[in-house]
Amino acid sequence: MEDLFNYREDREAYSAARMRALEDLLIKKGIITDRTVDTVLDFFETRMGPFNGAKIVARAWIDAAFKERLVADAPSAIAELALPEGMAGAEGEHVRAVANAPGLHNLILCTLCSCYPWPVLGLPPYWYKDPTFRSRAAREPRAVLKEFGLEIPESVEVKIWDSSAQVRWFVVPERPAGTESLSEAELETLVTPEAMMGVAIAKAA
Amino acid sequence: MKLQHYLGGLEGLGPVCTDTRVFAEPWEKRIFGVHVAMMALSTQTSAPETLSIFHTVWVWADLRKGAEALHPFDYFKYRYYEKWFGGILSYLIANGYFTVEEFDALADQYYCDTAKPLPEGGDDTIDALVERYLVEGDSPRRDVSVDYRFAVGDEVVVRNVPSVEHTRLPGYLRGRIGVVETVYDGAYTYDCDTGPDGIGAAMPVYCVRFDPADIWPGNAEPNFLIYADLYDHYIEAPAVAARAA
């Protein structure tokens, strides 16, 4: 879409200067401190991010009973794991997990904005926030997934979850074949945010 | 009617963006941090007092209203955090935290001098509160007695409520028939009262299943289903819908 519109030539420098002016005023007026923004960013780099989701999925792969509990009641199942404090915090207050299975593929969507399970997955990537994805995935999910490099045949049912109220959704992808000998920690490395939103599947390294 | 409320199913848009970055430019991280801080400092939370002078309500709905109020072409034109920046800046000016003249003058200074340092200082209680908000969240669930009008398996019709400024009802579902898949336990408020659109007060929420072949007859891919979480006010029994017609 970008080439359809005219943008200022100094688009990013202009935005960067305005952002600094805004942060300057917020600090000077006493709304936030000179550390507040970094405190938030640090939280998402170290405590709330896709590394938590990867641990949840890896556990579901090695423990079928945990996976069942995760799909039935995600917050309780997540609370069983030794994850950072705050898994039910901001944008994680009401999470639900849906599991892929042979013949079933799930895709998470937010057609109205960009609802995303922060504690499980961190912050939403650009593709998820893009209006084109949010428009098209509702009517032609397979065509959209193909553009992500994922072929889902017509014989596989696709379920789309449009996040329009309090629930923040994520997908438990299927465990890739050939990973039987991997440890739980090794399995975690195979889980991407894209697989946990349904635009990819988990693959053996 | 706002295009932003009717994105689901829109055609002719070309390929999707597959960019997996969260932030496209370093400045975008800063506006995200500012938004989270404002959410934490917002006066509707039961948070303890801090020394911050923030004294108004700032919730997701405020950010969403800003994006929904844009010219629909601008909605597609600007990147995600460019829209956030515009909405947050307008809000802060409208609520008297500073003036547009103050802001413009300072933006000029930072534009001309990219090495100009930010001011220092601020009270630790502010950052403690921001962290507390991230850890504890702000659940919309309320402990009130709930009258569930629908049960799992019930057929429901999506109402065509008048959504003036803001809604949580995806436009493509209006008037469509779905089946209740999940009745969520409890009642849920929304960030703000959406007026004639009808949400805000604590009410049940249902996960409702739709067949895309009913939504876009002859023009949707086969073998898929759409599930949406819908506030109680947005749905009604088919018989009620028929009487009103």
Side-chain angles (χ1 to χ4, degrees), chain B residues 166-221:
Chain B
H166 179 49
T167 188
R168 290 310 293 169
L169 175 58
Y172 69 95
L173 297 177
R174 286 172 182 259
R176 305 300 177 185
I177 294 173
V179 176
V180 174
E181 176 82 8
T182 309
V183 179
Y184 291 112
D185 207 18
Y188 299 84
T189 59
Y190 183 63
D191 281 354
C192 67
D193 183 334
T194 59
D197 174 79
I199 61 169
M203 64 180 74
V205 176
Y206 303 88
C207 181
V208 183
R209 181 178 74 240
F210 296 89
D211 183 349
D214 293 336
I215 302 174
W216 301 287
N219 192 22
E221 283 182 3

Side-chain angles (χ1 to χ4, degrees), chain B:
Chain B
M1 140 175 187
K2 294 183 166 72
L3 180 67
Q4 288 87 319
H5 297 161
Y6 287 80
L7 283 190
L10 194 64
E11 296 181 53
L13 296 174
V16 295
C17 142
T18 57
D19 188 343
T20 58
R21 290 176 301 171
V22 170
F23 301 106
E25 289 287 327
W27 69 262
E28 296 184 345
K29 293 185 174 187
R30 315 302 296 176
I31 195 65
F32 172 74
V34 165
H35 164 69
V36 168
M38 286 166 62
M39 295 266 286
L41 295 165
S42 177
T43 52
Q44 97 290 348
T45 66
S46 51
E49 299 249 325
T50 70
L51 292 180
S52 171
I53 62 134
F54 197 75
H55 55 81
T56 49
V57 171
W58 174 260
V59 287
W60 280 114
D62 294 295
L63 196 62
R64 292 169 183 154
K65 280 179 199 169
E68 290 167 30
L70 286 173
H71 188 298
F73 289 2
D74 285 344
Y75 188 77
F76 277 88
K77 174 175 177 175
Y78 292 110
R79 254 189 350 253
Y80 188 70
Y81 288 113
E82 288 173 320
K83 288 179 273 195
W84 278 38
F85 186 92
I88 289 170
L89 179 66
S90 307
Y91 173 91
L92 291 167
I93 291 170
N95 282 276
Y97 289 104
F98 50 81
T99 66
V100 67
E101 291 77 17
E102 249 180 308
F103 173 78
D104 284 344
L106 211 46
D108 278 345
Q109 288 178 33
Y110 280 103
Y111 187 86
C112 296
D113 179 5
T114 51
K116 179 178 160 66
L118 289 173
E120 292 179 356
D123 191 79
D124 283 339
T125 57
I126 296 172
D127 298 330
L129 175 68
V130 170
E131 203 157 328
R132 182 188 128 135
Y133 160 69
L134 285 168
V135 169
E136 295 185 3
D138 183 20
S139 170
R141 183 169 172 167
R142 296 291 176 269
D143 288 323
V144 295
S145 71
V146 185
D147 173 24
Y148 299 104
R149 291 192 297 146
F150 305 104
V152 171
D154 282 359
E155 230 179 45
V156 295
V157 181
V158 180
R159 297 178 60 198
N160 190 22
V161 294
S163 302
V164 180
E165 187 182 23
H166 179 49
T167 188
R168 290 310 293 169
L169 175 58
Y172 69 95
L173 297 177
R174 286 172 182 259
R176 305 300 177 185
I177 294 173
V179 176
V180 174
E181 176 82 8
T182 309
V183 179
Y184 291 112
D185 207 18
Y188 299 84
T189 59
Y190 183 63
D191 281 354
C192 67
D193 183 334
T194 59
D197 174 79
I199 61 169
M203 64 180 74
V205 176
Y206 303 88
C207 181
V208 183
R209 181 178 74 240
F210 296 89
D211 183 349
D214 293 336
I215 302 174
W216 301 287
N219 192 22
E221 283 182 3
N223 199 21
F224 84 102
L225 294 168
I226 297 181
Y227 297 79
D229 293 322
L230 299 177
Y231 290 90
D232 181 85
H233 184 76
Y234 290 149
I235 55 177
E236 61 193 356
V240 176
R243 272 203 304 276

Side-chain angles (χ1 to χ4, degrees), chain A residues 15-16 27 42 63 79 88 140 158 160:
Chain A
S15 292
I27 296 167
D42 179 69
D63 182 344
E140 44 174 1
V158 175
I160 295 195

Side-chain angles (χ1 to χ4, degrees), chain A:
Chain A
M1 297 286 294
E2 295 255 326
D3 50 355
L4 287 176
F5 300 112
N6 292 319
Y7 296 94
R8 299 172 63 102
E9 270 180 32
D10 60 349
R11 179 180 180 184
E12 305 306 340
Y14 174 77
S15 292
R18 284 160 64 82
M19 184 61 232
R20 285 182 74 74
L22 177 63
E23 195 173 345
D24 178 310
L25 284 168
L26 293 173
I27 296 167
K28 218 155 41 194
K29 302 280 180 185
I31 295 171
I32 64 172
T33 77
D34 61 357
R35 284 110 39 218
T36 304
V37 169
D38 290 322
T39 299
V40 172
L41 297 175
D42 179 69
F43 194 85
F44 284 93
E45 274 155 29
T46 60
R47 292 162 68 179
M48 297 292 134
F51 37 84
N52 292 330
K55 286 192 167 75
I56 295 166
V57 168
R59 178 62 59 88
W61 283 349
I62 60 168
D63 182 344
F66 174 79
K67 184 174 169 182
E68 241 175 72
R69 294 196 296 279
L70 181 64
V71 170
D73 180 356
S76 300
I78 291 169
E80 294 173 27
L81 304 181
L83 294 169
E85 189 193 4
M87 290 306 293
E91 296 303 295
E93 296 96 338
H94 304 280
V95 291
R96 272 187 81 182
V98 281
N100 287 347
L104 172 63
H105 184 84
N106 291 283
L107 175 64
I108 311 301
L109 185 63
C110 178
T111 59
L112 288 172
C113 52
S114 55
C115 295
Y116 202 72
W118 286 1
V120 176
L121 276 173
L123 302 174
Y126 255 101
W127 64 261
Y128 184 75
K129 302 176 287 207
D130 184 52
T132 300
F133 169 79
R134 291 157 45 210
S135 301
R136 289 185 52 206
R139 195 183 60 87
E140 44 174 1
R142 287 182 190 79
V144 165
L145 293 175
K146 201 171 170 184
E147 292 173 24
F148 279 90
L150 180 61
E151 297 261 5
I152 300 290
E154 280 188 9
S155 58
V156 172
E157 183 176 50
V158 175
K159 289 186 174 181
I160 295 195
W161 305 88
D162 192 352
S163 322
S164 33
Q166 85 284 10
V167 176
R168 303 292 174 261
W169 297 84
F170 68 98
V171 176
V172 182
E174 285 188 281
R175 180 173 178 165
T179 58
E180 293 73 15
S181 63
L182 297 188
S183 68
E184 190 170 348
E186 287 168 327
L187 288 171
E188 286 170 23
T189 65
L190 308 181
V191 187
T192 62
E194 282 63 44
M196 285 185 278
M197 283 281 116
V199 295
I201 53 171
K203 289 180 190 154

